[in-house]
PDB file of all heavy atoms in Angstrom:
ATOM      1  N   ALA A 218     131.917 145.791-190.794  1.00 95.00           N
ATOM      2  CA  ALA A 218     131.495 146.887-191.666  1.00 95.00           C
ATOM      3  C   ALA A 218     130.061 146.670-192.154  1.00 95.00           C
ATOM      4  O   ALA A 218     129.264 147.613-192.202  1.00 95.00           O
ATOM      5  CB  ALA A 218     132.440 147.022-192.851  1.00 95.00           C
ATOM      6  N   ILE A 219     129.735 145.433-192.503  1.00 94.00           N
ATOM      7  CA  ILE A 219     128.377 145.136-192.959  1.00 94.00           C
ATOM      8  C   ILE A 219     127.387 145.283-191.806  1.00 94.00           C
ATOM      9  O   ILE A 219     126.305 145.836-191.970  1.00 94.00           O
ATOM     10  CB  ILE A 219     128.307 143.721-193.570  1.00 94.00           C
ATOM     11  CG1 ILE A 219     129.186 143.657-194.819  1.00 94.00           C
ATOM     12  CG2 ILE A 219     126.876 143.327-193.900  1.00 94.00           C
ATOM     13  CD1 ILE A 219     129.313 142.274-195.401  1.00 94.00           C
ATOM     14  N   ALA A 220     127.778 144.800-190.634  1.00 95.00           N
ATOM     15  CA  ALA A 220     126.909 144.940-189.469  1.00 95.00           C
ATOM     16  C   ALA A 220     126.718 146.412-189.109  1.00 95.00           C
ATOM     17  O   ALA A 220     125.617 146.831-188.753  1.00 95.00           O
ATOM     18  CB  ALA A 220     127.494 144.178-188.280  1.00 95.00           C
ATOM     19  N   GLY A 221     127.754 147.209-189.234  1.00 95.00           N
ATOM     20  CA  GLY A 221     127.645 148.642-188.952  1.00 95.00           C
ATOM     21  C   GLY A 221     126.744 149.349-189.936  1.00 95.00           C
ATOM     22  O   GLY A 221     125.961 150.226-189.564  1.00 95.00           O
ATOM     23  N   ALA A 222     126.845 148.963-191.211  1.00 95.00           N
ATOM     24  CA  ALA A 222     125.950 149.555-192.215  1.00 95.00           C
ATOM     25  C   ALA A 222     124.501 149.171-191.940  1.00 95.00           C
ATOM     26  O   ALA A 222     123.596 149.999-192.095  1.00 95.00           O
ATOM     27  CB  ALA A 222     126.366 149.104-193.607  1.00 95.00           C
ATOM     28  N   GLY A 223     124.275 147.946-191.520  1.00 95.00           N
ATOM     29  CA  GLY A 223     122.919 147.524-191.162  1.00 95.00           C
ATOM     30  C   GLY A 223     122.385 148.281-189.967  1.00 95.00           C
ATOM     31  O   GLY A 223     121.221 148.678-189.943  1.00 95.00           O
ATOM     32  N   CYS A 224     123.235 148.492-188.981  1.00 95.00           N
ATOM     33  CA  CYS A 224     122.832 149.257-187.800  1.00 95.00           C
ATOM     34  C   CYS A 224     122.513 150.696-188.184  1.00 95.00           C
ATOM     35  O   CYS A 224     121.525 151.275-187.738  1.00 95.00           O
ATOM     36  CB  CYS A 224     123.936 149.198-186.761  1.00 95.00           C
ATOM     37  SG  CYS A 224     123.512 149.983-185.206  1.00 95.00           S
ATOM     38  N   PHE A 225     123.349 151.292-189.032  1.00 96.00           N
ATOM     39  CA  PHE A 225     123.111 152.649-189.497  1.00 96.00           C
ATOM     40  C   PHE A 225     121.788 152.743-190.260  1.00 96.00           C
ATOM     41  O   PHE A 225     121.010 153.681-190.075  1.00 96.00           O
ATOM     42  CB  PHE A 225     124.264 153.112-190.390  1.00 96.00           C
ATOM     43  CG  PHE A 225     124.103 154.485-190.937  1.00 96.00           C
ATOM     44  CD1 PHE A 225     124.294 155.592-190.132  1.00 96.00           C
ATOM     45  CD2 PHE A 225     123.753 154.674-192.260  1.00 96.00           C
ATOM     46  CE1 PHE A 225     124.138 156.869-190.635  1.00 96.00           C
ATOM     47  CE2 PHE A 225     123.596 155.945-192.772  1.00 96.00           C
ATOM     48  CZ  PHE A 225     123.785 157.051-191.958  1.00 96.00           C
ATOM     49  N   GLY A 226     121.501 151.750-191.106  1.00 94.00           N
ATOM     50  CA  GLY A 226     120.242 151.731-191.845  1.00 94.00           C
ATOM     51  C   GLY A 226     119.039 151.617-190.927  1.00 94.00           C
ATOM     52  O   GLY A 226     118.005 152.247-191.157  1.00 94.00           O
ATOM     53  N   LEU A 227     119.166 150.811-189.872  1.00 95.00           N
ATOM     54  CA  LEU A 227     118.061 150.698-188.914  1.00 95.00           C
ATOM     55  C   LEU A 227     117.806 152.015-188.191  1.00 95.00           C
ATOM     56  O   LEU A 227     116.656 152.394-187.962  1.00 95.00           O
ATOM     57  CB  LEU A 227     118.351 149.591-187.896  1.00 95.00           C
ATOM     58  CG  LEU A 227     118.108 148.174-188.378  1.00 95.00           C
ATOM     59  CD1 LEU A 227     118.572 147.184-187.318  1.00 95.00           C
ATOM     60  CD2 LEU A 227     116.645 147.968-188.690  1.00 95.00           C
ATOM     61  N   VAL A 228     118.864 152.707-187.840  1.00 95.00           N
ATOM     62  CA  VAL A 228     118.709 154.010-187.175  1.00 95.00           C
ATOM     63  C   VAL A 228     118.030 154.999-188.120  1.00 95.00           C
ATOM     64  O   VAL A 228     117.126 155.739-187.721  1.00 95.00           O
ATOM     65  CB  VAL A 228     120.076 154.541-186.689  1.00 95.00           C
ATOM     66  CG1 VAL A 228     119.978 155.983-186.249  1.00 95.00           C
ATOM     67  CG2 VAL A 228     120.606 153.669-185.563  1.00 95.00           C
ATOM     68  N   CYS A 229     118.447 155.004-189.381  1.00 93.00           N
ATOM     69  CA  CYS A 229     117.837 155.903-190.366  1.00 93.00           C
ATOM     70  C   CYS A 229     116.368 155.559-190.587  1.00 93.00           C
ATOM     71  O   CYS A 229     115.527 156.459-190.705  1.00 93.00           O
ATOM     72  CB  CYS A 229     118.594 155.840-191.677  1.00 93.00           C
ATOM     73  SG  CYS A 229     120.227 156.574-191.580  1.00 93.00           S
ATOM     74  N   ALA A 230     116.045 154.274-190.651  1.00 93.00           N
ATOM     75  CA  ALA A 230     114.654 153.865-190.832  1.00 93.00           C
ATOM     76  C   ALA A 230     113.810 154.266-189.620  1.00 93.00           C
ATOM     77  O   ALA A 230     112.668 154.716-189.770  1.00 93.00           O
ATOM     78  CB  ALA A 230     114.573 152.361-191.057  1.00 93.00           C
ATOM     79  N   ALA A 231     114.359 154.132-188.427  1.00 92.00           N
ATOM     80  CA  ALA A 231     113.630 154.546-187.226  1.00 92.00           C
ATOM     81  C   ALA A 231     113.409 156.054-187.207  1.00 92.00           C
ATOM     82  O   ALA A 231     112.339 156.532-186.819  1.00 92.00           O
ATOM     83  CB  ALA A 231     114.388 154.105-185.975  1.00 92.00           C
ATOM     84  N   TRP A 232     114.398 156.797-187.646  1.00 92.00           N
ATOM     85  CA  TRP A 232     114.285 158.249-187.706  1.00 92.00           C
ATOM     86  C   TRP A 232     113.200 158.664-188.703  1.00 92.00           C
ATOM     87  O   TRP A 232     112.370 159.525-188.429  1.00 92.00           O
ATOM     88  CB  TRP A 232     115.636 158.837-188.065  1.00 92.00           C
ATOM     89  CG  TRP A 232     115.719 160.319-188.065  1.00 92.00           C
ATOM     90  CD1 TRP A 232     115.107 161.179-187.198  1.00 92.00           C
ATOM     91  CD2 TRP A 232     116.467 161.135-188.966  1.00 92.00           C
ATOM     92  NE1 TRP A 232     115.434 162.464-187.508  1.00 92.00           N
ATOM     93  CE2 TRP A 232     116.259 162.471-188.590  1.00 92.00           C
ATOM     94  CE3 TRP A 232     117.283 160.847-190.048  1.00 92.00           C
ATOM     95  CZ2 TRP A 232     116.852 163.512-189.271  1.00 92.00           C
ATOM     96  CZ3 TRP A 232     117.874 161.891-190.719  1.00 92.00           C
ATOM     97  CH2 TRP A 232     117.657 163.209-190.330  1.00 92.00           C
ATOM     98  N   ALA A 233     113.184 158.022-189.868  1.00 88.00           N
ATOM     99  CA  ALA A 233     112.162 158.326-190.870  1.00 88.00           C
ATOM    100  C   ALA A 233     110.780 157.890-190.390  1.00 88.00           C
ATOM    101  O   ALA A 233     109.782 158.575-190.651  1.00 88.00           O
ATOM    102  CB  ALA A 233     112.504 157.646-192.187  1.00 88.00           C
ATOM    103  N   ALA A 234     110.710 156.788-189.673  1.00 87.00           N
ATOM    104  CA  ALA A 234     109.423 156.303-189.175  1.00 87.00           C
ATOM    105  C   ALA A 234     108.803 157.262-188.170  1.00 87.00           C
ATOM    106  O   ALA A 234     107.579 157.379-188.102  1.00 87.00           O
ATOM    107  CB  ALA A 234     109.593 154.922-188.542  1.00 87.00           C
ATOM    108  N   GLN A 235     109.617 157.956-187.407  1.00 86.00           N
ATOM    109  CA  GLN A 235     109.081 158.935-186.462  1.00 86.00           C
ATOM    110  C   GLN A 235     108.303 160.028-187.178  1.00 86.00           C
ATOM    111  O   GLN A 235     107.325 160.549-186.659  1.00 86.00           O
ATOM    112  CB  GLN A 235     110.203 159.564-185.643  1.00 86.00           C
ATOM    113  CG  GLN A 235     110.818 158.640-184.647  1.00 86.00           C
ATOM    114  CD  GLN A 235     111.962 159.306-183.904  1.00 86.00           C
ATOM    115  OE1 GLN A 235     112.369 160.412-184.207  1.00 86.00           O
ATOM    116  NE2 GLN A 235     112.483 158.611-182.919  1.00 86.00           N
ATOM    117  N   VAL A 236     108.727 160.364-188.381  1.00 81.00           N
ATOM    118  CA  VAL A 236     108.053 161.411-189.146  1.00 81.00           C
ATOM    119  C   VAL A 236     106.887 160.832-189.943  1.00 81.00           C
ATOM    120  O   VAL A 236     105.828 161.448-190.031  1.00 81.00           O
ATOM    121  CB  VAL A 236     109.056 162.088-190.105  1.00 81.00           C
ATOM    122  CG1 VAL A 236     108.372 163.100-190.988  1.00 81.00           C
ATOM    123  CG2 VAL A 236     110.185 162.733-189.318  1.00 81.00           C
ATOM    124  N   LEU A 237     107.053 159.650-190.510  1.00 80.00           N
ATOM    125  CA  LEU A 237     106.053 159.098-191.424  1.00 80.00           C
ATOM    126  C   LEU A 237     104.859 158.465-190.731  1.00 80.00           C
ATOM    127  O   LEU A 237     103.789 158.363-191.311  1.00 80.00           O
ATOM    128  CB  LEU A 237     106.702 158.056-192.336  1.00 80.00           C
ATOM    129  CG  LEU A 237     107.729 158.600-193.320  1.00 80.00           C
ATOM    130  CD1 LEU A 237     108.400 157.449-194.048  1.00 80.00           C
ATOM    131  CD2 LEU A 237     107.082 159.543-194.302  1.00 80.00           C
ATOM    132  N   PHE A 238     105.016 158.012-189.514  1.00 80.00           N
ATOM    133  CA  PHE A 238     103.953 157.271-188.856  1.00 80.00           C
ATOM    134  C   PHE A 238     103.290 158.046-187.720  1.00 80.00           C
ATOM    135  O   PHE A 238     102.716 157.449-186.821  1.00 80.00           O
ATOM    136  CB  PHE A 238     104.492 155.933-188.322  1.00 80.00           C
ATOM    137  CG  PHE A 238     104.854 154.975-189.413  1.00 80.00           C
ATOM    138  CD1 PHE A 238     106.148 154.915-189.898  1.00 80.00           C
ATOM    139  CD2 PHE A 238     103.911 154.153-189.967  1.00 80.00           C
ATOM    140  CE1 PHE A 238     106.492 154.036-190.910  1.00 80.00           C
ATOM    141  CE2 PHE A 238     104.234 153.266-190.980  1.00 80.00           C
ATOM    142  CZ  PHE A 238     105.534 153.215-191.449  1.00 80.00           C
ATOM    143  N   ASP A 239     103.330 159.375-187.775  1.00 81.00           N
ATOM    144  CA  ASP A 239     102.660 160.148-186.728  1.00 81.00           C
ATOM    145  C   ASP A 239     101.341 160.723-187.247  1.00 81.00           C
ATOM    146  O   ASP A 239     101.046 160.695-188.433  1.00 81.00           O
ATOM    147  CB  ASP A 239     103.563 161.253-186.185  1.00 81.00           C
ATOM    148  CG  ASP A 239     103.832 162.344-187.207  1.00 81.00           C
ATOM    149  OD1 ASP A 239     103.534 162.130-188.390  1.00 81.00           O
ATOM    150  OD2 ASP A 239     104.335 163.393-186.809  1.00 81.00           O
ATOM    151  N   ARG A 240     100.515 161.227-186.347  1.00 81.00           N
ATOM    152  CA  ARG A 240      99.200 161.755-186.722  1.00 81.00           C
ATOM    153  C   ARG A 240      99.311 163.007-187.579  1.00 81.00           C
ATOM    154  O   ARG A 240      98.469 163.246-188.434  1.00 81.00           O
ATOM    155  CB  ARG A 240      98.389 162.067-185.469  1.00 81.00           C
ATOM    156  CG  ARG A 240      97.963 160.845-184.720  1.00 81.00           C
ATOM    157  CD  ARG A 240      97.164 161.236-183.495  1.00 81.00           C
ATOM    158  NE  ARG A 240      97.041 160.120-182.595  1.00 81.00           N
ATOM    159  CZ  ARG A 240      95.941 159.404-182.489  1.00 81.00           C
ATOM    160  NH1 ARG A 240      94.900 159.685-183.222  1.00 81.00           N
ATOM    161  NH2 ARG A 240      95.895 158.407-181.651  1.00 81.00           N
ATOM    162  N   GLU A 241     100.339 163.788-187.374  1.00 83.00           N
ATOM    163  CA  GLU A 241     100.511 165.013-188.152  1.00 83.00           C
ATOM    164  C   GLU A 241     100.750 164.694-189.625  1.00 83.00           C
ATOM    165  O   GLU A 241     100.233 165.385-190.510  1.00 83.00           O
ATOM    166  CB  GLU A 241     101.679 165.822-187.584  1.00 83.00           C
ATOM    167  CG  GLU A 241     101.812 167.198-188.177  1.00 83.00           C
ATOM    168  CD  GLU A 241     100.660 168.113-187.844  1.00 83.00           C
ATOM    169  OE1 GLU A 241      99.954 167.893-186.847  1.00 83.00           O
ATOM    170  OE2 GLU A 241     100.452 169.076-188.617  1.00 83.00           O
ATOM    171  N   ALA A 242     101.494 163.655-189.907  1.00 78.00           N
ATOM    172  CA  ALA A 242     101.724 163.253-191.299  1.00 78.00           C
ATOM    173  C   ALA A 242     100.416 162.807-191.941  1.00 78.00           C
ATOM    174  O   ALA A 242     100.157 163.120-193.109  1.00 78.00           O
ATOM    175  CB  ALA A 242     102.758 162.138-191.362  1.00 78.00           C
ATOM    176  N   LEU A 243      99.592 162.087-191.204  1.00 80.00           N
ATOM    177  CA  LEU A 243      98.298 161.683-191.729  1.00 80.00           C
ATOM    178  C   LEU A 243      97.416 162.890-192.013  1.00 80.00           C
ATOM    179  O   LEU A 243      96.722 162.940-193.027  1.00 80.00           O
ATOM    180  CB  LEU A 243      97.594 160.743-190.742  1.00 80.00           C
ATOM    181  CG  LEU A 243      98.218 159.377-190.552  1.00 80.00           C
ATOM    182  CD1 LEU A 243      97.502 158.627-189.444  1.00 80.00           C
ATOM    183  CD2 LEU A 243      98.159 158.595-191.843  1.00 80.00           C
ATOM    184  N   ARG A 244      97.443 163.876-191.143  1.00 85.00           N
ATOM    185  CA  ARG A 244      96.644 165.080-191.339  1.00 85.00           C
ATOM    186  C   ARG A 244      97.108 165.836-192.578  1.00 85.00           C
ATOM    187  O   ARG A 244      96.298 166.266-193.397  1.00 85.00           O
ATOM    188  CB  ARG A 244      96.730 165.980-190.107  1.00 85.00           C
ATOM    189  CG  ARG A 244      95.797 167.171-190.175  1.00 85.00           C
ATOM    190  CD  ARG A 244      96.070 168.168-189.072  1.00 85.00           C
ATOM    191  NE  ARG A 244      97.389 168.771-189.177  1.00 85.00           N
ATOM    192  CZ  ARG A 244      97.724 169.716-190.054  1.00 85.00           C
ATOM    193  NH1 ARG A 244      96.851 170.158-190.922  1.00 85.00           N
ATOM    194  NH2 ARG A 244      98.932 170.219-190.072  1.00 85.00           N
ATOM    195  N   ARG A 245      98.427 165.988-192.749  1.00 83.00           N
ATOM    196  CA  ARG A 245      98.953 166.684-193.922  1.00 83.00           C
ATOM    197  C   ARG A 245      98.610 165.937-195.203  1.00 83.00           C
ATOM    198  O   ARG A 245      98.230 166.547-196.203  1.00 83.00           O
ATOM    199  CB  ARG A 245     100.469 166.855-193.806  1.00 83.00           C
ATOM    200  CG  ARG A 245     100.890 167.903-192.827  1.00 83.00           C
ATOM    201  CD  ARG A 245     102.381 168.177-192.927  1.00 83.00           C
ATOM    202  NE  ARG A 245     103.210 166.985-192.835  1.00 83.00           N
ATOM    203  CZ  ARG A 245     103.743 166.523-191.716  1.00 83.00           C
ATOM    204  NH1 ARG A 245     103.573 167.165-190.588  1.00 83.00           N
ATOM    205  NH2 ARG A 245     104.476 165.432-191.728  1.00 83.00           N
ATOM    206  N   ASP A 246      98.735 164.615-195.184  1.00 80.00           N
ATOM    207  CA  ASP A 246      98.420 163.818-196.360  1.00 80.00           C
ATOM    208  C   ASP A 246      96.951 163.963-196.742  1.00 80.00           C
ATOM    209  O   ASP A 246      96.611 164.108-197.912  1.00 80.00           O
ATOM    210  CB  ASP A 246      98.761 162.355-196.100  1.00 80.00           C
ATOM    211  CG  ASP A 246      98.514 161.481-197.308  1.00 80.00           C
ATOM    212  OD1 ASP A 246      99.108 161.775-198.370  1.00 80.00           O
ATOM    213  OD2 ASP A 246      97.742 160.514-197.179  1.00 80.00           O
ATOM    214  N   ARG A 247      96.075 163.942-195.760  1.00 84.00           N
ATOM    215  CA  ARG A 247      94.648 164.101-196.016  1.00 84.00           C
ATOM    216  C   ARG A 247      94.360 165.487-196.588  1.00 84.00           C
ATOM    217  O   ARG A 247      93.571 165.626-197.532  1.00 84.00           O
ATOM    218  CB  ARG A 247      93.858 163.893-194.722  1.00 84.00           C
ATOM    219  CG  ARG A 247      92.378 163.783-194.940  1.00 84.00           C
ATOM    220  CD  ARG A 247      91.614 163.496-193.646  1.00 84.00           C
ATOM    221  NE  ARG A 247      92.175 162.401-192.892  1.00 84.00           N
ATOM    222  CZ  ARG A 247      92.702 162.524-191.654  1.00 84.00           C
ATOM    223  NH1 ARG A 247      92.735 163.685-191.054  1.00 84.00           N
ATOM    224  NH2 ARG A 247      93.179 161.470-191.032  1.00 84.00           N
ATOM    225  N   ALA A 248      95.012 166.520-196.066  1.00 86.00           N
ATOM    226  CA  ALA A 248      94.793 167.877-196.558  1.00 86.00           C
ATOM    227  C   ALA A 248      95.268 168.028-198.002  1.00 86.00           C
ATOM    228  O   ALA A 248      94.591 168.662-198.824  1.00 86.00           O
ATOM    229  CB  ALA A 248      95.521 168.877-195.664  1.00 86.00           C
ATOM    230  N   VAL A 249      96.403 167.441-198.329  1.00 84.00           N
ATOM    231  CA  VAL A 249      96.906 167.508-199.712  1.00 84.00           C
ATOM    232  C   VAL A 249      95.963 166.767-200.649  1.00 84.00           C
ATOM    233  O   VAL A 249      95.645 167.248-201.742  1.00 84.00           O
ATOM    234  CB  VAL A 249      98.335 166.940-199.785  1.00 84.00           C
ATOM    235  CG1 VAL A 249      98.762 166.712-201.220  1.00 84.00           C
ATOM    236  CG2 VAL A 249      99.307 167.858-199.077  1.00 84.00           C
ATOM    237  N   ARG A 250      95.499 165.601-200.240  1.00 82.00           N
ATOM    238  CA  ARG A 250      94.588 164.825-201.074  1.00 82.00           C
ATOM    239  C   ARG A 250      93.284 165.581-201.325  1.00 82.00           C
ATOM    240  O   ARG A 250      92.773 165.627-202.447  1.00 82.00           O
ATOM    241  CB  ARG A 250      94.301 163.480-200.396  1.00 82.00           C
ATOM    242  CG  ARG A 250      93.784 162.446-201.330  1.00 82.00           C
ATOM    243  CD  ARG A 250      93.661 161.049-200.712  1.00 82.00           C
ATOM    244  NE  ARG A 250      94.500 160.813-199.565  1.00 82.00           N
ATOM    245  CZ  ARG A 250      94.028 160.510-198.347  1.00 82.00           C
ATOM    246  NH1 ARG A 250      92.736 160.413-198.135  1.00 82.00           N
ATOM    247  NH2 ARG A 250      94.861 160.287-197.340  1.00 82.00           N
ATOM    248  N   GLU A 251      92.721 166.206-200.278  1.00 86.00           N
ATOM    249  CA  GLU A 251      91.499 166.981-200.440  1.00 86.00           C
ATOM    250  C   GLU A 251      91.715 168.191-201.336  1.00 86.00           C
ATOM    251  O   GLU A 251      90.835 168.523-202.138  1.00 86.00           O
ATOM    252  CB  GLU A 251      90.979 167.414-199.071  1.00 86.00           C
ATOM    253  CG  GLU A 251      90.423 166.257-198.260  1.00 86.00           C
ATOM    254  CD  GLU A 251      90.094 166.648-196.824  1.00 86.00           C
ATOM    255  OE1 GLU A 251      90.319 167.826-196.451  1.00 86.00           O
ATOM    256  OE2 GLU A 251      89.619 165.781-196.088  1.00 86.00           O
ATOM    257  N   ALA A 252      92.868 168.831-201.231  1.00 87.00           N
ATOM    258  CA  ALA A 252      93.158 169.977-202.088  1.00 87.00           C
ATOM    259  C   ALA A 252      93.248 169.554-203.549  1.00 87.00           C
ATOM    260  O   ALA A 252      92.778 170.256-204.446  1.00 87.00           O
ATOM    261  CB  ALA A 252      94.459 170.655-201.650  1.00 87.00           C
ATOM    262  N   ARG A 253      93.862 168.409-203.799  1.00 84.00           N
ATOM    263  CA  ARG A 253      93.941 167.899-205.184  1.00 84.00           C
ATOM    264  C   ARG A 253      92.550 167.606-205.734  1.00 84.00           C
ATOM    265  O   ARG A 253      92.247 167.902-206.880  1.00 84.00           O
ATOM    266  CB  ARG A 253      94.775 166.624-205.238  1.00 84.00           C
ATOM    267  CG  ARG A 253      96.238 166.854-205.143  1.00 84.00           C
ATOM    268  CD  ARG A 253      96.948 165.528-205.256  1.00 84.00           C
ATOM    269  NE  ARG A 253      98.367 165.674-205.027  1.00 84.00           N
ATOM    270  CZ  ARG A 253      99.154 164.687-204.665  1.00 84.00           C
ATOM    271  NH1 ARG A 253      98.661 163.475-204.493  1.00 84.00           N
ATOM    272  NH2 ARG A 253     100.439 164.888-204.487  1.00 84.00           N
TER     273      ARG A 253
END
């Protein structure tokens, strides 16, 4: 059960990393910062 929860967490982290570490996220972050 603990190993399964760890595996599930790794899958979730990989899924989030696909969104957070792409060029589009950097572009959006830069645009929000400039707007502020």
Side-chain angles (χ1 to χ4, degrees):
I219 296 173
C224 185
F225 179 75
L227 281 174
V228 169
C229 290
W232 185 37
Q235 289 178 354
V236 176
L237 293 174
F238 291 93
D239 68 347
R240 290 180 195 257
E241 189 66 23
L243 292 174
R244 187 190 64 76
R245 286 189 307 267
D246 183 57
R247 191 177 311 117
V249 167
R250 200 173 337 119
E251 289 172 359
R253 284 182 186 158

